[in-house]
Amino acid sequence: MGRDVFYITTPIYYPNDVPHIGHAYDAVATDFVARFHRLRGEEVFHLTGTDEHGLKLQRAAESAGSSARAWVDDMEPKWREVWAGLDIGYDDYIRTTEPRHAAAVAKLLQAVHDNGRDDIYLGTYEGLYCVSCEAYYVEADLLEGGLCPIHERPVERMAEENYFFRLSAYADRLLEHYGSTPSAVEPESRRNEVLSVIRGGLEDFSISRTTFDWGIPIPWHPKHVTYVWFDALTNYITAAGYADDPERFARLWPANIHMIGKDILRFHAIYWPAMLMAGGVEPPTQVWAHGFLTVGGKKMSKTNLTGIHPFELLEQFGVDSYRYYFMREMTFGQDGSFSWESMVERHNADLANGLGNLASRVLAMLGSYFDGIVPDAAVAGAASDLPAVTADAAARFEAHLLNIELSPALAAIWDIVARANHYLVEKEPWKLAKDEANRDELASVLYASAETLRILAVLISPIMPRAAADLWSQLGLEDLEAQRLPEAAVWGGLAAGVKTTKGAALFPRFDTD
Ligand code: MSP
């Protein structure tokens, strides 16, 4: 089993358009968690990619006067460009149009087909079809008078020959799976949703189409192309080596966490484990479904101008502030509202005035009173509660992150920031510096503050890699990448004699006007 590697995935994104901040939300969260596990010394495999087949893609290409292939080739770099801008450090990027993926889809389809239980069968899909959409609708989706909700034209009763997957046969096994491993779907509210859908009865679903050809052919009947969700979900095992590298697959699979949005929960928590069970593959260890970002209380979309591109915010705030804001401000399992005001407020309060101010004050005083040299630790931290405060907060940070409690994990770090800023106010080192008789106490206060900064740099590194590296080098330290939790957060790691240098502000303050 894939216990050797911490394997975490984002959904694969539809490149029918460019990303908005909603897409970037699960990409940043996944990266935050992946970097945290690396910081703990684990081998991590972080996968992301693009979901490039299906009717939706074909449509987008056609309406732009392009071929599907040319369209996805043109779009996909625009997604990677955003991930690069957001410091998303994925280990592999999968495109479902790659040959390695076609091989994995064919292998899984064949395994299910040949499992001796007739789990894939040929049937007729009957439904209400809109020819303009080339899509089936259920009664409930239609406008009054049975009209297509998009084209406002009558739909037709149509029938198409499709392959079906016998999902209905997997209800008991799925209930058993979630009964024995409740953590396989988080948070709990989403688990309850999944359980109630399963208990309500599962219907077989169609896994092939004959009305268009932008997809992976069904191996034994190539007139059919694989339904886009069967195709897309399989990406998670493709990248782990399912079709071509059994040894690697054994180390990686099952994935530890599939990070997804709540809208694609059923596909991940019902279809996907059932498909794998049918193919003789273990289901993923956990599916974690986060809430949706809204703008002004509205769903994000191009049409109502709420589809904000991440670069619009990056230009203003920089990547660290961007990452921090979304992970700190929102409760990950719930919907959360984005606003410029709240982003400016977080930036100013937590970053500029909080961490940034702490760092610049401490480094400036080390410069003024000790020529930047970290004073002798023998007299350090004696009368301070900072060792206990940092130890407690670092432990809470780790525990929260292991539970995907992203905002509380960051709040734990900011308990340190608040306490350290307050400590300076209490000790008033600028007053101590006025009298040579206070030299030892001054050294002790500044050592404790600088050591706190060192621990803070380690703790923020998964969420704000650039600020962490900057702070680390201002502290005169090397090899941030080599730091490991929990050791790196143990008090006393900063050696006396290190030469610190105050650099530019970590987070320039925004003028709220
Ligand atoms: N291609 C499928 C996923 C296949 S995974 C095997 C897909 N793509 S998507 O591009 O439409 O969405 C990708 C992710 O972005 C989903 O997790 C979705 O929940 C997330 N989000 C899209 N809009 C969002 C918000 N407004 N807020 C938060 N996440 C949102 O679905």
Short mmCIF file of all heavy atoms in Angstrom, two decimals, residues 165-175 177-178 184-185 190-205 229-230 233 258 260 264-278 283-284 287:
data_model
loop_
_atom_site.label_atom_id
_atom_site.label_comp_id
_atom_site.label_asym_id
_atom_site.label_seq_id
_atom_site.Cartn_x
_atom_site.Cartn_y
_atom_site.Cartn_z
N PHE A 165 -21.86 1.66 -16.16
CA PHE A 165 -21.13 1.08 -15.03
C PHE A 165 -22.15 0.72 -13.95
O PHE A 165 -22.99 1.56 -13.57
CB PHE A 165 -20.10 2.08 -14.48
CG PHE A 165 -19.46 1.59 -13.21
CD1 PHE A 165 -18.69 0.43 -13.19
CD2 PHE A 165 -19.67 2.27 -12.01
CE1 PHE A 165 -18.12 -0.02 -12.01
CE2 PHE A 165 -19.09 1.83 -10.82
CZ PHE A 165 -18.32 0.67 -10.83
N ARG A 166 -22.04 -0.49 -13.41
CA ARG A 166 -23.03 -0.99 -12.46
C ARG A 166 -22.78 -0.44 -11.05
O ARG A 166 -22.43 -1.16 -10.13
CB ARG A 166 -23.01 -2.53 -12.46
CG ARG A 166 -24.31 -3.14 -11.96
CD ARG A 166 -24.28 -4.67 -12.00
NE ARG A 166 -24.11 -5.26 -13.32
CZ ARG A 166 -25.08 -5.35 -14.24
NH1 ARG A 166 -26.28 -4.91 -13.98
NH2 ARG A 166 -24.83 -5.90 -15.42
N LEU A 167 -22.96 0.85 -10.92
CA LEU A 167 -22.76 1.49 -9.61
C LEU A 167 -23.72 0.93 -8.57
O LEU A 167 -23.37 0.81 -7.38
CB LEU A 167 -22.97 3.01 -9.76
CG LEU A 167 -22.75 3.85 -8.51
CD1 LEU A 167 -21.29 3.79 -8.05
CD2 LEU A 167 -23.16 5.31 -8.75
N SER A 168 -24.92 0.57 -9.01
CA SER A 168 -25.95 0.09 -8.07
C SER A 168 -25.48 -1.11 -7.26
O SER A 168 -25.96 -1.35 -6.16
CB SER A 168 -27.22 -0.27 -8.84
OG SER A 168 -26.90 -1.23 -9.84
N ALA A 169 -24.51 -1.85 -7.79
CA ALA A 169 -24.04 -3.05 -7.07
C ALA A 169 -23.07 -2.70 -5.96
O ALA A 169 -22.66 -3.58 -5.20
CB ALA A 169 -23.38 -4.01 -8.07
N TYR A 170 -22.68 -1.44 -5.84
CA TYR A 170 -21.61 -1.08 -4.90
C TYR A 170 -22.06 -0.34 -3.64
O TYR A 170 -21.24 0.04 -2.81
CB TYR A 170 -20.50 -0.29 -5.64
CG TYR A 170 -19.72 -1.25 -6.49
CD1 TYR A 170 -20.14 -1.56 -7.77
CD2 TYR A 170 -18.63 -1.92 -5.96
CE1 TYR A 170 -19.47 -2.51 -8.54
CE2 TYR A 170 -17.95 -2.87 -6.71
CZ TYR A 170 -18.38 -3.15 -7.99
OH TYR A 170 -17.71 -4.10 -8.72
N ALA A 171 -23.37 -0.18 -3.49
CA ALA A 171 -23.86 0.58 -2.33
C ALA A 171 -23.39 -0.05 -1.02
O ALA A 171 -22.87 0.65 -0.14
CB ALA A 171 -25.37 0.68 -2.37
N ASP A 172 -23.53 -1.34 -0.89
CA ASP A 172 -23.16 -1.98 0.38
C ASP A 172 -21.67 -1.87 0.65
O ASP A 172 -21.26 -1.58 1.77
CB ASP A 172 -23.57 -3.46 0.39
CG ASP A 172 -25.09 -3.60 0.49
OD1 ASP A 172 -25.74 -2.59 0.87
OD2 ASP A 172 -25.61 -4.69 0.17
N ARG A 173 -20.88 -2.10 -0.38
CA ARG A 173 -19.43 -2.00 -0.17
C ARG A 173 -19.00 -0.58 0.17
O ARG A 173 -18.10 -0.37 0.98
CB ARG A 173 -18.68 -2.50 -1.41
CG ARG A 173 -18.65 -4.04 -1.46
CD ARG A 173 -17.74 -4.54 -2.54
NE ARG A 173 -16.33 -4.20 -2.31
CZ ARG A 173 -15.35 -4.48 -3.18
NH1 ARG A 173 -15.65 -5.09 -4.32
NH2 ARG A 173 -14.11 -4.16 -2.91
N LEU A 174 -19.67 0.39 -0.43
CA LEU A 174 -19.34 1.78 -0.10
C LEU A 174 -19.73 2.10 1.34
O LEU A 174 -18.96 2.73 2.08
CB LEU A 174 -20.04 2.75 -1.06
CG LEU A 174 -19.47 2.79 -2.49
CD1 LEU A 174 -20.40 3.59 -3.42
CD2 LEU A 174 -18.07 3.41 -2.50
N LEU A 175 -20.91 1.63 1.74
CA LEU A 175 -21.35 1.88 3.13
C LEU A 175 -20.39 1.22 4.12
O LEU A 175 -20.05 1.79 5.16
CB LEU A 175 -22.78 1.39 3.35
CG LEU A 175 -23.86 2.23 2.65
CD1 LEU A 175 -25.24 1.58 2.80
CD2 LEU A 175 -23.89 3.67 3.20
N HIS A 177 -17.23 0.58 3.56
CA HIS A 177 -15.98 1.35 3.49
C HIS A 177 -16.07 2.58 4.40
O HIS A 177 -15.19 2.84 5.23
CB HIS A 177 -15.74 1.76 2.04
CG HIS A 177 -14.60 2.70 1.80
ND1 HIS A 177 -13.31 2.44 2.22
CD2 HIS A 177 -14.57 3.92 1.19
CE1 HIS A 177 -12.53 3.46 1.88
NE2 HIS A 177 -13.26 4.37 1.25
N TYR A 178 -17.14 3.35 4.27
CA TYR A 178 -17.26 4.57 5.07
C TYR A 178 -17.61 4.26 6.52
O TYR A 178 -17.28 5.04 7.42
CB TYR A 178 -18.26 5.55 4.44
CG TYR A 178 -17.72 6.11 3.13
CD1 TYR A 178 -18.44 6.02 1.93
CD2 TYR A 178 -16.46 6.71 3.09
CE1 TYR A 178 -17.93 6.51 0.74
CE2 TYR A 178 -15.93 7.21 1.90
CZ TYR A 178 -16.67 7.11 0.73
OH TYR A 178 -16.14 7.59 -0.44
N ALA A 184 -12.62 8.69 5.64
CA ALA A 184 -12.43 8.63 4.19
C ALA A 184 -13.16 9.75 3.45
O ALA A 184 -12.85 10.02 2.29
CB ALA A 184 -12.85 7.26 3.65
N VAL A 185 -14.13 10.39 4.10
CA VAL A 185 -14.69 11.64 3.55
C VAL A 185 -14.74 12.67 4.66
O VAL A 185 -15.32 12.43 5.72
CB VAL A 185 -16.14 11.51 3.04
CG1 VAL A 185 -16.56 12.81 2.34
CG2 VAL A 185 -16.32 10.37 2.10
N ARG A 190 -20.02 16.64 4.92
CA ARG A 190 -19.96 16.08 3.56
C ARG A 190 -20.10 14.55 3.62
O ARG A 190 -20.66 13.94 2.71
CB ARG A 190 -18.64 16.46 2.89
CG ARG A 190 -18.44 17.93 2.73
CD ARG A 190 -19.43 18.54 1.75
NE ARG A 190 -19.45 19.98 1.88
CZ ARG A 190 -20.48 20.77 1.64
NH1 ARG A 190 -21.61 20.26 1.22
NH2 ARG A 190 -20.40 22.06 1.80
N ARG A 191 -19.54 13.97 4.66
CA ARG A 191 -19.67 12.51 4.81
C ARG A 191 -21.15 12.15 4.94
O ARG A 191 -21.63 11.22 4.29
CB ARG A 191 -18.90 12.05 6.04
CG ARG A 191 -19.06 10.57 6.36
CD ARG A 191 -17.91 10.08 7.21
NE ARG A 191 -17.94 10.63 8.55
CZ ARG A 191 -17.03 11.43 9.08
NH1 ARG A 191 -15.99 11.81 8.38
NH2 ARG A 191 -17.15 11.87 10.32
N ASN A 192 -21.88 12.92 5.74
CA ASN A 192 -23.30 12.63 5.91
C ASN A 192 -24.05 12.77 4.60
O ASN A 192 -24.95 11.98 4.30
CB ASN A 192 -23.90 13.57 6.98
CG ASN A 192 -23.32 13.24 8.34
OD1 ASN A 192 -22.88 12.12 8.59
ND2 ASN A 192 -23.31 14.23 9.22
N GLU A 193 -23.65 13.75 3.82
CA GLU A 193 -24.28 13.95 2.51
C GLU A 193 -24.05 12.71 1.64
O GLU A 193 -24.98 12.20 1.01
CB GLU A 193 -23.59 15.17 1.88
CG GLU A 193 -24.30 15.84 0.78
CD GLU A 193 -23.46 17.04 0.29
OE1 GLU A 193 -23.07 17.90 1.13
OE2 GLU A 193 -23.17 17.09 -0.91
N VAL A 194 -22.82 12.24 1.62
CA VAL A 194 -22.47 11.08 0.80
C VAL A 194 -23.24 9.85 1.28
O VAL A 194 -23.84 9.12 0.48
CB VAL A 194 -20.94 10.82 0.87
CG1 VAL A 194 -20.59 9.45 0.31
CG2 VAL A 194 -20.19 11.92 0.13
N LEU A 195 -23.28 9.65 2.59
CA LEU A 195 -23.97 8.48 3.12
C LEU A 195 -25.45 8.53 2.77
O LEU A 195 -26.04 7.51 2.41
CB LEU A 195 -23.79 8.39 4.64
CG LEU A 195 -22.36 8.03 5.08
CD1 LEU A 195 -22.22 8.08 6.60
CD2 LEU A 195 -21.96 6.65 4.56
N SER A 196 -26.04 9.71 2.82
CA SER A 196 -27.47 9.76 2.54
C SER A 196 -27.74 9.52 1.06
O SER A 196 -28.74 8.89 0.70
CB SER A 196 -28.11 11.02 3.12
OG SER A 196 -28.22 11.99 2.15
N VAL A 197 -26.84 9.96 0.20
CA VAL A 197 -27.02 9.65 -1.23
C VAL A 197 -26.92 8.13 -1.45
O VAL A 197 -27.74 7.53 -2.15
CB VAL A 197 -25.98 10.38 -2.11
CG1 VAL A 197 -26.04 9.90 -3.55
CG2 VAL A 197 -26.18 11.89 -2.04
N ILE A 198 -25.94 7.51 -0.82
CA ILE A 198 -25.78 6.06 -1.01
C ILE A 198 -27.00 5.31 -0.47
O ILE A 198 -27.55 4.43 -1.14
CB ILE A 198 -24.49 5.53 -0.33
CG1 ILE A 198 -23.25 6.26 -0.87
CG2 ILE A 198 -24.36 4.02 -0.53
CD1 ILE A 198 -21.96 5.94 -0.13
N ARG A 199 -27.45 5.72 0.71
CA ARG A 199 -28.62 5.04 1.30
C ARG A 199 -29.87 5.26 0.49
O ARG A 199 -30.76 4.42 0.45
CB ARG A 199 -28.84 5.52 2.74
CG ARG A 199 -27.76 5.03 3.68
CD ARG A 199 -28.15 5.21 5.14
NE ARG A 199 -27.00 4.90 5.98
CZ ARG A 199 -26.29 5.81 6.66
NH1 ARG A 199 -26.65 7.08 6.64
NH2 ARG A 199 -25.25 5.44 7.37
N GLY A 200 -29.92 6.40 -0.19
CA GLY A 200 -31.09 6.71 -1.03
C GLY A 200 -31.14 5.86 -2.30
O GLY A 200 -32.11 5.91 -3.04
N GLY A 201 -30.09 5.10 -2.55
CA GLY A 201 -30.08 4.21 -3.72
C GLY A 201 -29.23 4.77 -4.84
O GLY A 201 -29.33 5.94 -5.17
N LEU A 202 -28.37 3.92 -5.39
CA LEU A 202 -27.46 4.37 -6.45
C LEU A 202 -27.91 3.83 -7.80
O LEU A 202 -28.29 2.66 -7.91
CB LEU A 202 -26.04 3.88 -6.15
CG LEU A 202 -25.41 4.42 -4.86
CD1 LEU A 202 -24.02 3.80 -4.66
CD2 LEU A 202 -25.33 5.94 -4.87
N GLU A 203 -27.85 4.67 -8.79
CA GLU A 203 -28.19 4.21 -10.14
C GLU A 203 -26.93 4.01 -10.96
O GLU A 203 -25.95 4.74 -10.81
CB GLU A 203 -29.04 5.28 -10.83
CG GLU A 203 -30.47 5.26 -10.34
CD GLU A 203 -31.34 6.25 -11.09
OE1 GLU A 203 -30.96 6.65 -12.22
OE2 GLU A 203 -32.38 6.63 -10.53
N ASP A 204 -26.98 3.06 -11.85
CA ASP A 204 -25.85 2.84 -12.76
C ASP A 204 -25.65 4.11 -13.58
O ASP A 204 -26.60 4.85 -13.82
CB ASP A 204 -26.17 1.67 -13.71
CG ASP A 204 -26.37 0.37 -12.94
OD1 ASP A 204 -26.06 0.34 -11.73
OD2 ASP A 204 -26.86 -0.61 -13.53
N PHE A 205 -24.43 4.37 -13.98
CA PHE A 205 -24.24 5.56 -14.82
C PHE A 205 -23.54 5.21 -16.12
O PHE A 205 -22.79 4.24 -16.21
CB PHE A 205 -23.56 6.70 -14.07
CG PHE A 205 -22.13 6.45 -13.67
CD1 PHE A 205 -21.07 6.86 -14.49
CD2 PHE A 205 -21.82 5.83 -12.47
CE1 PHE A 205 -19.75 6.66 -14.12
CE2 PHE A 205 -20.50 5.62 -12.09
CZ PHE A 205 -19.46 6.03 -12.91
N TRP A 229 -15.97 11.95 -16.90
CA TRP A 229 -15.66 11.74 -15.47
C TRP A 229 -14.92 10.44 -15.21
O TRP A 229 -14.07 10.36 -14.34
CB TRP A 229 -16.92 11.85 -14.60
CG TRP A 229 -17.16 13.27 -14.19
CD1 TRP A 229 -18.06 14.16 -14.74
CD2 TRP A 229 -16.45 14.00 -13.17
NE1 TRP A 229 -17.95 15.38 -14.11
CE2 TRP A 229 -16.98 15.31 -13.15
CE3 TRP A 229 -15.42 13.67 -12.29
CZ2 TRP A 229 -16.51 16.29 -12.27
CZ3 TRP A 229 -14.96 14.64 -11.41
CH2 TRP A 229 -15.51 15.92 -11.41
N PHE A 230 -15.27 9.39 -15.98
CA PHE A 230 -14.52 8.13 -15.81
C PHE A 230 -13.07 8.37 -16.20
O PHE A 230 -12.13 7.95 -15.53
CB PHE A 230 -15.16 7.03 -16.67
CG PHE A 230 -14.71 5.64 -16.28
CD1 PHE A 230 -15.54 4.82 -15.51
CD2 PHE A 230 -13.44 5.16 -16.63
CE1 PHE A 230 -15.12 3.55 -15.12
CE2 PHE A 230 -13.02 3.89 -16.25
CZ PHE A 230 -13.86 3.09 -15.49
N LEU A 233 -11.27 11.02 -13.41
CA LEU A 233 -10.95 10.47 -12.08
C LEU A 233 -9.73 9.54 -12.14
O LEU A 233 -8.91 9.50 -11.21
CB LEU A 233 -12.17 9.72 -11.53
CG LEU A 233 -13.33 10.62 -11.10
CD1 LEU A 233 -14.64 9.83 -11.00
CD2 LEU A 233 -13.02 11.31 -9.76
N HIS A 258 -7.41 13.33 -1.58
CA HIS A 258 -7.88 14.04 -2.77
C HIS A 258 -8.54 15.31 -2.27
O HIS A 258 -9.59 15.27 -1.62
CB HIS A 258 -8.95 13.24 -3.53
CG HIS A 258 -8.46 12.02 -4.23
ND1 HIS A 258 -7.26 11.96 -4.89
CD2 HIS A 258 -9.04 10.80 -4.41
CE1 HIS A 258 -7.12 10.76 -5.44
NE2 HIS A 258 -8.18 10.03 -5.15
N ILE A 260 -10.71 18.43 -2.94
CA ILE A 260 -11.70 18.80 -3.98
C ILE A 260 -12.66 19.87 -3.44
O ILE A 260 -12.74 20.09 -2.24
CB ILE A 260 -12.55 17.59 -4.41
CG1 ILE A 260 -13.30 16.99 -3.21
CG2 ILE A 260 -11.72 16.54 -5.11
CD1 ILE A 260 -14.48 16.12 -3.59
N ILE A 264 -17.93 18.61 -6.54
CA ILE A 264 -17.54 17.37 -7.22
C ILE A 264 -17.37 16.22 -6.23
O ILE A 264 -16.65 15.26 -6.47
CB ILE A 264 -16.28 17.58 -8.10
CG1 ILE A 264 -15.11 18.16 -7.29
CG2 ILE A 264 -16.59 18.51 -9.27
CD1 ILE A 264 -13.81 18.29 -8.12
N LEU A 265 -18.11 16.34 -5.12
CA LEU A 265 -18.03 15.35 -4.05
C LEU A 265 -18.55 13.97 -4.48
O LEU A 265 -17.92 12.95 -4.24
CB LEU A 265 -18.81 15.87 -2.84
CG LEU A 265 -18.91 14.93 -1.64
CD1 LEU A 265 -17.53 14.68 -1.04
CD2 LEU A 265 -19.83 15.53 -0.57
N ARG A 266 -19.70 13.95 -5.12
CA ARG A 266 -20.28 12.65 -5.47
C ARG A 266 -19.38 11.86 -6.41
O ARG A 266 -19.26 10.64 -6.31
CB ARG A 266 -21.62 12.82 -6.17
CG ARG A 266 -22.70 13.24 -5.23
CD ARG A 266 -24.00 13.29 -5.99
NE ARG A 266 -25.02 13.91 -5.16
CZ ARG A 266 -26.32 13.80 -5.40
NH1 ARG A 266 -26.74 13.11 -6.45
NH2 ARG A 266 -27.18 14.40 -4.61
N PHE A 267 -18.78 12.56 -7.34
CA PHE A 267 -17.89 11.87 -8.28
C PHE A 267 -16.73 11.22 -7.52
O PHE A 267 -16.32 10.12 -7.82
CB PHE A 267 -17.35 12.84 -9.34
CG PHE A 267 -18.43 13.45 -10.18
CD1 PHE A 267 -18.83 14.76 -10.00
CD2 PHE A 267 -19.05 12.69 -11.17
CE1 PHE A 267 -19.84 15.31 -10.78
CE2 PHE A 267 -20.05 13.23 -11.96
CZ PHE A 267 -20.45 14.56 -11.76
N HIS A 268 -16.20 11.97 -6.55
CA HIS A 268 -15.01 11.49 -5.85
C HIS A 268 -15.32 10.50 -4.73
O HIS A 268 -14.51 9.63 -4.44
CB HIS A 268 -14.22 12.67 -5.27
CG HIS A 268 -13.41 13.37 -6.30
ND1 HIS A 268 -13.93 14.31 -7.15
CD2 HIS A 268 -12.10 13.24 -6.64
CE1 HIS A 268 -12.98 14.74 -7.96
NE2 HIS A 268 -11.86 14.10 -7.68
N ALA A 269 -16.46 10.68 -4.09
CA ALA A 269 -16.72 9.84 -2.91
C ALA A 269 -17.66 8.68 -3.22
O ALA A 269 -17.85 7.80 -2.37
CB ALA A 269 -17.29 10.70 -1.79
N ILE A 270 -18.27 8.66 -4.40
CA ILE A 270 -19.16 7.55 -4.75
C ILE A 270 -18.67 6.86 -6.03
O ILE A 270 -18.30 5.69 -6.02
CB ILE A 270 -20.63 8.02 -4.88
CG1 ILE A 270 -21.09 8.59 -3.51
CG2 ILE A 270 -21.52 6.87 -5.33
CD1 ILE A 270 -22.49 9.15 -3.50
N TYR A 271 -18.64 7.59 -7.13
CA TYR A 271 -18.22 6.97 -8.40
C TYR A 271 -16.81 6.38 -8.27
O TYR A 271 -16.57 5.23 -8.63
CB TYR A 271 -18.16 7.99 -9.53
CG TYR A 271 -19.48 8.47 -10.10
CD1 TYR A 271 -20.66 8.42 -9.37
CD2 TYR A 271 -19.53 8.98 -11.40
CE1 TYR A 271 -21.85 8.89 -9.91
CE2 TYR A 271 -20.72 9.44 -11.95
CZ TYR A 271 -21.87 9.40 -11.20
OH TYR A 271 -23.03 9.87 -11.74
N TRP A 272 -15.89 7.21 -7.82
CA TRP A 272 -14.47 6.85 -7.88
C TRP A 272 -14.14 5.62 -7.03
O TRP A 272 -13.56 4.65 -7.55
CB TRP A 272 -13.63 8.08 -7.52
CG TRP A 272 -12.14 7.95 -7.49
CD1 TRP A 272 -11.32 8.40 -6.50
CD2 TRP A 272 -11.27 7.36 -8.48
NE1 TRP A 272 -10.01 8.15 -6.81
CE2 TRP A 272 -9.95 7.50 -8.02
CE3 TRP A 272 -11.50 6.72 -9.70
CZ2 TRP A 272 -8.85 7.04 -8.74
CZ3 TRP A 272 -10.40 6.25 -10.41
CH2 TRP A 272 -9.10 6.40 -9.94
N PRO A 273 -14.49 5.58 -5.75
CA PRO A 273 -14.17 4.36 -4.99
C PRO A 273 -14.85 3.13 -5.58
O PRO A 273 -14.25 2.05 -5.61
CB PRO A 273 -14.65 4.64 -3.57
CG PRO A 273 -15.36 5.94 -3.59
CD PRO A 273 -15.04 6.63 -4.87
N ALA A 274 -16.07 3.30 -6.10
CA ALA A 274 -16.77 2.14 -6.69
C ALA A 274 -16.04 1.66 -7.95
O ALA A 274 -15.86 0.46 -8.16
CB ALA A 274 -18.22 2.50 -7.00
N MET A 275 -15.61 2.61 -8.77
CA MET A 275 -14.86 2.24 -9.99
C MET A 275 -13.60 1.45 -9.61
O MET A 275 -13.25 0.46 -10.26
CB MET A 275 -14.42 3.51 -10.74
CG MET A 275 -15.52 4.20 -11.54
SD MET A 275 -15.10 5.95 -11.90
CE MET A 275 -13.52 5.81 -12.72
N LEU A 276 -12.93 1.93 -8.57
CA LEU A 276 -11.69 1.27 -8.16
C LEU A 276 -11.98 -0.12 -7.59
O LEU A 276 -11.29 -1.09 -7.91
CB LEU A 276 -10.96 2.13 -7.12
CG LEU A 276 -10.33 3.41 -7.68
CD1 LEU A 276 -9.87 4.32 -6.56
CD2 LEU A 276 -9.15 3.08 -8.61
N MET A 277 -12.99 -0.21 -6.75
CA MET A 277 -13.35 -1.51 -6.19
C MET A 277 -13.64 -2.50 -7.32
O MET A 277 -13.19 -3.64 -7.30
CB MET A 277 -14.60 -1.38 -5.30
CG MET A 277 -14.36 -0.68 -3.97
SD MET A 277 -15.96 -0.28 -3.19
CE MET A 277 -15.40 0.53 -1.67
N ALA A 278 -14.37 -2.01 -8.32
CA ALA A 278 -14.73 -2.88 -9.45
C ALA A 278 -13.49 -3.30 -10.24
O ALA A 278 -13.45 -4.38 -10.83
CB ALA A 278 -15.72 -2.17 -10.36
N PRO A 283 -9.56 1.90 -2.70
CA PRO A 283 -10.03 3.29 -2.80
C PRO A 283 -9.08 4.26 -2.12
O PRO A 283 -8.25 3.86 -1.31
CB PRO A 283 -11.38 3.27 -2.07
CG PRO A 283 -11.36 2.06 -1.21
CD PRO A 283 -10.39 1.08 -1.83
N PRO A 284 -9.18 5.56 -2.44
CA PRO A 284 -8.28 6.53 -1.80
C PRO A 284 -8.52 6.59 -0.29
O PRO A 284 -9.61 6.27 0.18
CB PRO A 284 -8.69 7.86 -2.44
CG PRO A 284 -10.07 7.64 -2.96
CD PRO A 284 -10.15 6.20 -3.34
N VAL A 287 -11.03 11.73 0.95
CA VAL A 287 -11.50 12.78 0.05
C VAL A 287 -11.88 13.96 0.94
O VAL A 287 -12.66 13.79 1.87
CB VAL A 287 -12.74 12.30 -0.75
CG1 VAL A 287 -13.37 13.46 -1.52
CG2 VAL A 287 -12.37 11.17 -1.69
#
